[in-house]
Every structure is written in structure tokens, then in C-alpha cells.
């Protein structure tokens, strides 16, 4: 390993299923050390995790980084969005966190939308229409189903807030993650008192929103991590905003992220307000906006289909008119929280490989359908799609995105973009730079570009037709547990 050119910083990605930590040279962007540790998510009707597992996983990930982590001058936490963390007066979890992919609050999302001005009100006020993933709906669900937990709650945090607070001892968040709660007003960039009053949430329970470039605090005495007391702690942010920083995104560049969930987003100078609810009008982590569409079923759903069929995930064959909507956990885009998977067009000569390709097509169709709504009208329609996330390395994912988008596809070589974005945020505290400019200096988006191919409009039209015809069936709940 060459000697570091600049100070070392730590970027963390606390995702749904694991926590990753990178020690990065702030001068060059070189990853000096890395570590990763898993945590668990409950199964069944809900999706929950004990926040203390995230802290333990952070401890283990940093231990695996070794001595370089002890030399870090600044640290930042990127984390899964939307999760509801409820803490008692001692800062301990009242109950497991309700995660972004817990869709039990779908009835509360519908009711809140109707009772407080309708979709247009919410879009104009918060930038987004409430969906079951949003934190405000989870708080409303908790109030109805576990009032004793509500009464015991003395602080409400998001996942990255929880970890940052354990580092600094101060309750903070940032505009990027706060914009995914449903109780942060994008027009005023502050907590919305009317919405908070409607759901019975005292604003005193919420963290202070740290501005871009502002220090959230310093590492306190009482912790068991390898950081020195006084190490700078950045605001941190939600995972998508962190990945946007990690890519050094400029406005208008589209990103398609293939992970447990799938997302399409782009940085914009314009505050979004989509009353259809397809696009969430998130803020980014450095003063602009990050309109985003998200699906619940992406790589995990396709891998589940591959496992059911006994196939390698790359063993696809042309679909020959088969349509599979892989809505295994309900779906957010389109907004069908009660849906299950649906197969249409099965015949005697259908092969397992065709079924698997149909699952890829169904997953990508949902994301590409929102792409035009995410991008500003003046965005270049021929600009490459940046393909990121765990699925971006898969040939079947790459070719499906190429075929259904008709655009060139660029695959950044950098893998841990959320952690790199957090590291760029930490580096910005030390250098005074915009974190996105730090990432561009690190050249994190570097990677091969796959040329555009003719768009497969026939498949897109077929999937859209099946989705439309099956809408009443997909809206029914089939859950019996």
C-alpha cells in the first residue's frame, strides 16, 4: 500500500442486511481498508431489525478495517432510508425498527393522503405522496397498533441518525434523509408542524437537521469504536443521496440502482412535486434535489425466482411472449402494496430460462417507466444510464436494461458507492469542498460504457398491458399469515 496523500476518512453504508465501512484516502480516493458485517431482518408480515445490531455490525466492520480506521480524521454514516427508530429516555430502542420495506402501514398511507389535503397537498408540501415505505406512515401504524410503544418513545430517529447519535451523543439528521420521512416540508426545508400534529408526533422528539457541509458533531468519549475522541462526524445521509454523492452526480445524469430495492434517480436543480406519487421528491445531501422512483422487488425477487427454478441467475432465454410481474413483497412502483407475483402467457413449451428472463423484464419495466418523470425535461435522452448496485455486475441485468431502455449503459467500476459517498462527505469537512466535487476528483464514476441497442418496445407494451388488465387482481391482498 502506498503512503496516503491526504488524511484518512471513514465512510459507512448501513444497509438493509449489512454494514460496510471503507477507510479512504481523502486526497486520492484510494480505499485503504474495508470491512463488512451482517445484520438480520425479520420475516413474515413485517420487516424489522434491532438497531443495536447495526451498531454491533459497525463495530465489527471497523475492526476488520484494522489500524487505518484508528487514523481517520472524519467519519460519515450513509444508511437505509425511511426506517422508524423509536428510542426511550436512555437512548435504547423501544422496539425493533420498522424498515423501509415493511408495507404494513399501507392503510395508514392511504388514510393520511385522503385526510390531509390529498395527493396534491402532500406533493407540494413534502415533495412526495405518502407510501407504505415512508416513516410518517409507520409512525401512524405504530400509534394504532402499539400505543404503549408510542408512549415509551422519547426520541424518533432514522437508521443513519441512530448511528450518528451513538457516535456524537447528539440527535442530528440531514436534509436528504429527512426528506424521506413525510414530515419534512421541502418548500420550507423544515419539519411540517401541521403533518406532525395530525399524526401526534411532538417535534421535540425529532433530530436537528444539519445543513450540507456542516459538522454534525465529534466522536464522544463513551463508545467502543476505534475513533479518537474529537474525530469529526459529518451529517451523514440516506443511502440514495450518499450514492449520488459517491458518483459525483451532476444534474440530469440518470442513475438506475439494482439492489434489494431498485431505484431510478437524478440530481435536479428543481424541487420535485409529483402528485401521482410515482416520483418521490427527495432532497440530496448537498443543496439540490434528488427525484427518485423506487421498487420493492429487484435483485432479491429475481434471485428468488432463479432459486425456485433451480437456475443460475444468468441462465436466461428469450421470453417469447411471457410476462412475469415479480411483486413478491408487494410493490411501491407501481403502488400495489398488497400485490403478489403474477405470471401470464405460460405454455407447454415455456422454459425455465424464459421464466427467469421474464422476471428480469418485469423488474426493469417498473424502473424504466418512471425514468422520464425523474429526469428534467431538458435532460439529454441519449446520455448513458449509470448502472449501479449489486445487480449492475450481472450480464443478464445489464442486457435487460440495455434492451428495454434503448440507451447506452455505463457501469462504474467503484462498487461501494454509498460508503464512498459518505467518505466524500467526511472528506469535504476536512477540505471545504463540495462532496460531489470530491467524488469527481476521485473519478468514482469511471467504468465501461455499453453501446445503445434498439429498444424492445414490444416487450414494454406487453408488460404494460398485462399490468393494466390485472390491476384489480394485483390490488387484492393474498397474505394469509
Amino acid at each position: 500500500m502506498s503512503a496516503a496523500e491526504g488524511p484518512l476518512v471513514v465512510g459507512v453504508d448501513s444497509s438493509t442486511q449489512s454494514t460496510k465501512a471503507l477507510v479512504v484516502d481523502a486526497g486520492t480516493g484510494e480505499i485503504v481498508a474495508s470491512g463488512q458485517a451482517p445484520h438480520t431482518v425479520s420475516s413474515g408480515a413485517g420487516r424489522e431489525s434491532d438497531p443495536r445490531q447495526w451498531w454491533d455490525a459497525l463495530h465489527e466492520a471497523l475492526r476488520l478495517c484494522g489500524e487505518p480506521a484508528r487514523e481517520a480524521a472524519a467519519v460519515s454514516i450513509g444508511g437505509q432510508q425511511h426506517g422508524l427508530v423509536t428510542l426511550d429516555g436512555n437512548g435504547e430502542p423501544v422496539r425493533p425498527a420498522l424498515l423501509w420495506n415493511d408495507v404494513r402501514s399501507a392503510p395508514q398511507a392511504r388514510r393520511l393522503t385522503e385526510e390531509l389535503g390529498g395527493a396534491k397537498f402532500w406533493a407540494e408540501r413534502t415533495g412526495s405522496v405518502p407510501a407504505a415505505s415512508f416513516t410518517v406512515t409507520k409512525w401512524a401504524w405504530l400509534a394504532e397498533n402499539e400505543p404503549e410503544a408510542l408512549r415509551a418513545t422519547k426520541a424518533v430517529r432514522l437508521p443513519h441518525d441512530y448511528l450518528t447519535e451513538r457516535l456524537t451523543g447528539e440527535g442530528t439528521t440531514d436534509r436528504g434523509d429527512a426528506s424521506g420521512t413525510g414530515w419534512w416540508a421541502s418548500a420550507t426545508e423544515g419539519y411540517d408542524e401541521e403533518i406532525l400534529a395530525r399524526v401526534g408526533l411532538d417535534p421535540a422528539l425529532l433530530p436537528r437537521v444539519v445543513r450540507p457541509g456542516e459538522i454534525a458533531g465529534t466522536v464522544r468519549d463513551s463508545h467502543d469504536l476505534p475513533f479518537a475522541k474529537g474525530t469529526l462526524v459529518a451529517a451523514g445521509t440516506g443511502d440514495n443521496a450518499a450514492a449520488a454523492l459517491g458518483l459525483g452526480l451532476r444534474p440530469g445524469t440518470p442513475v438506475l440502482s439494482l439492489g434489494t430495492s431498485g431505484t431510478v434517480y437524478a440530481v435536479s436543480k428543481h424541487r420535485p412535486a409529483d402528485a401521482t406519487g410515482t416520483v418521490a421528491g427527495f432532497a440530496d445531501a448537498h443543496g439540490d434535489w434528488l427525484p427518485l422512483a423506487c421498487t420493492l422487488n429487484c435483485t432479491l425477487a429475481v434471485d428468488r425466482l432463479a432459486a425456485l427454478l433451480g437456475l443460475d441467475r444468468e441462465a436466461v432465454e428469450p421470453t417469447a411472449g411471457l410476462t412475469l410481474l415479480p411483486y413478491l413483497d408487494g410493490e411501491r412502483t407501481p403502488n400495489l402494496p398488497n400485490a403478489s407475483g403474477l405470471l401470464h402467457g405460460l405454455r407447454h413449451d415455456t422454459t425455465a430460462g424464459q421464466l427467469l428472463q421474464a422476471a428480469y423484464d418485469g423488474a426493469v419495466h417498473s424502473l424504466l417507466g418512471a425514468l422520464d418523470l425523474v429526469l428534467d425535461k431538458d435532460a439529454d435522452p441519449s446520455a448513458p444510464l449509470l448502472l449501479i448496485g449489486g445487480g449492475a455486475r450481472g450480464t443478464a441485468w445489464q442486457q435487460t436494461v440495455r434492451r428495454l431502455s434503448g440507451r447506452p449503459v455505463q457501469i462504474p467500476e467503484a462498487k461501494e458507492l454509498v460508503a464512498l459517498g459518505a467518505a466524500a462527505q467526511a472528506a469535504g469537512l476536512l477540505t471545504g469542498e463540495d462532496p460531489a466535487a470530491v467524488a469527481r476528483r476521485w473519478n468514482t464514476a469511471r467504468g465501461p460504457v455499453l453501446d445503445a441497442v434498439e429498444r424492445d418496445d414490444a416487450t414494454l407494451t406487453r408488460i404494460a398491458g398485462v399490468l393494466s388488465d390485472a390491476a384489480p387482481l394485483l390490488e387484492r391482498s393474498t397474505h394469509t399469515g
Side-chain angles (χ1 to χ4, degrees):
M1 184 185 74
S2 59
E5 291 188 12
L8 298 181
V9 294
V10 167
V12 174
D13 173 10
S14 183
S15 66
T16 313
Q17 300 181 47
S18 69
T19 292
K20 304 155 197 160
L22 301 181
V23 183
V24 181
D25 183 333
T28 65
E30 177 190 0
I31 297 173
V32 175
S34 64
Q36 181 173 352
H39 24 87
T40 58
V41 178
S42 67
S43 58
R47 294 290 186 271
E48 302 180 352
S49 288
D50 184 343
R52 289 168 291 205
Q53 280 197 12
W54 307 335
W55 181 258
D56 293 342
L58 176 59
H59 185 281
E60 176 62 11
L62 289 168
R63 186 190 69 78
L64 293 171
C65 289
E67 189 60 31
R70 300 183 180 278
E71 301 174 18
V75 58
S76 180
I77 310 286
Q80 56 177 308
Q81 291 182 252
H82 304 305
L84 175 64
V85 180
T86 50
L87 305 177
D88 63 19
N90 297 316
E92 293 296 322
V94 170
R95 67 175 318 283
L98 295 165
L99 303 187
W100 61 273
N101 53 352
D102 188 316
V103 297
R104 287 176 291 177
S105 62
Q108 287 75 24
R110 287 191 295 271
R111 192 183 69 247
L112 283 172
T113 302
E114 294 166 358
E115 291 180 354
L116 203 57
K120 189 172 186 290
F121 165 90
W122 283 88
E124 291 179 351
R125 189 75 74 94
T126 72
S128 305
V129 179
S133 55
F134 281 60
T135 326
V136 68
T137 72
K138 300 180 189 306
W139 178 261
W141 181 90
L142 199 66
E144 290 182 34
N145 292 275
E146 299 180 16
E148 69 285 353
L150 210 73
R151 287 191 291 270
T153 297
K154 304 304 178 187
V156 172
R157 301 291 184 260
L158 296 165
H160 109 260
D161 307 343
Y162 171 78
L163 293 171
T164 301
E165 185 167 5
R166 288 199 64 169
L167 277 174
T168 65
E170 300 177 34
T172 61
T173 191
D174 89 301
R175 69 192 294 271
D177 218 0
S179 68
T181 60
W183 55 56
W184 184 85
S186 60
T188 61
E189 300 210 20
Y191 293 127
D192 191 300
E193 293 185 3
E194 183 178 359
I195 292 172
L196 291 173
R198 175 56 63 102
V199 297
L201 177 54
D202 184 349
L205 272 58
L206 298 175
R208 178 176 67 90
V209 181
V210 177
R211 303 298 303 168
E214 184 185 345
I215 296 170
T218 58
V219 172
R220 58 179 173 172
D221 274 329
S222 177
H223 68 88
D224 52 358
L225 300 182
F227 302 124
K229 178 187 176 184
T231 300
L232 298 182
V233 181
T237 192
D239 50 8
N240 289 299
L245 286 184
L247 287 165
L249 279 191
R250 298 183 188 275
T253 300
V255 177
L256 200 157
S257 177
L258 303 169
T260 303
S261 65
T263 54
V264 174
Y265 57 85
V267 170
S268 174
K269 293 289 185 182
H270 310 292
R271 185 174 70 89
D274 176 19
T276 72
T278 301
V279 175
F282 296 146
D284 75 356
H286 72 304
D288 291 325
W289 302 95
L290 197 71
L292 177 148
C294 176
T295 65
L296 297 182
N297 298 278
C298 195
T299 60
L300 201 62
V302 171
D303 286 353
R304 178 61 179 147
L305 262 295
L308 283 172
L309 297 167
L311 294 179
D312 181 273
R313 67 184 62 165
E314 297 291 341
V316 295
E317 299 174 35
T319 56
L322 192 67
T323 300
L324 200 162
L325 304 178
Y327 304 159
L328 306 190
D329 291 315
E331 189 46 81
R332 173 171 161 180
T333 304
N335 186 23
L336 296 165
N338 296 319
S340 56
L342 185 144
L343 175 64
H344 180 266
L346 187 67
R347 297 187 180 277
H348 276 289
D349 59 354
T350 299
T351 68
Q354 289 171 337
L355 281 170
L356 183 57
Q357 180 61 67
Y360 278 99
D361 288 351
V364 171
H365 172 269
S366 296
L367 288 165
L368 293 180
L371 183 61
D372 289 339
L373 293 173
V374 164
L375 290 169
D376 291 335
K377 293 179 180 179
D378 57 355
D380 181 359
S382 64
L385 270 174
L386 292 181
L387 197 63
I388 66 170
R393 308 289 159 178
T395 300
W397 281 111
Q398 293 172 5
Q399 298 308 320
T400 302
V401 172
R402 287 179 78 198
R403 178 171 52 82
L404 295 184
S405 71
R407 301 176 73 130
V409 172
Q410 183 171 357
I411 304 151
E413 294 171 358
K415 294 180 180 179
E416 304 298 346
L417 287 165
V418 174
L420 276 173
Q425 195 181 47
L429 292 183
L430 303 176
T431 67
E433 294 172 272
D434 171 11
V438 172
R440 288 194 290 271
R441 177 162 57 76
W442 292 349
N443 202 15
T444 53
R446 179 183 62 247
V449 178
L450 307 178
D451 292 336
V453 298
E454 184 178 358
R455 190 171 67 179
D456 184 357
D457 288 319
T459 294
L460 293 170
T461 301
R462 185 183 72 250
I463 296 173
V466 171
L467 178 59
S468 176
D469 291 344
L473 185 62
L474 290 167
E475 288 168 359
R476 298 180 199 163
S477 175
T478 59
H479 180 70
T480 57

